Amino acid sequence: MVTRCVCFGKKFTELIKIAEKHNINKLEDLQKHVRFGENCKRCHPYVKMMLKTGQTKFEPFPNEPEPGSID
Ligand code: FES
């Protein structure tokens, strides 16, 4: 399962808390509050989906490379 930004060690469960606290629905806005997603950027489609759906665990998307290792 994809559960975090692997490059920055940020779990989606942490990221969503910050998003909720600041009422954020865009990845770029979330990056102003917490450092993630600046390296391989493979977590981006998952973070975008998280902001849309509130989900924090994802089956790897078929057309996206999986970020780093698996939990
Ligand atoms: S997994 Fe988020 S930048 Fe690489």
Side-chain angles (χ1 to χ4, degrees), residues 6 12 15 23 25 28 39 49 58:
V6 176
F12 296 156
L15 295 180
N23 231 338
N25 54 20
E28 294 76 15
N39 188 40
M49 188 59 87
F58 302 93

Side-chain angles (χ1 to χ4, degrees), residues 5-8 37-43 67:
C5 170
V6 176
C7 299
F8 288 83
E38 292 173 22
N39 188 40
C40 73
K41 299 188 167 66
R42 286 176 181 172
C43 56

Side-chain angles (χ1 to χ4, degrees), residues 58-70:
F58 302 93
E59 293 291 343
F61 297 163
N63 297 320
E64 299 284 350
E66 193 171 340
S69 60
I70 304 169

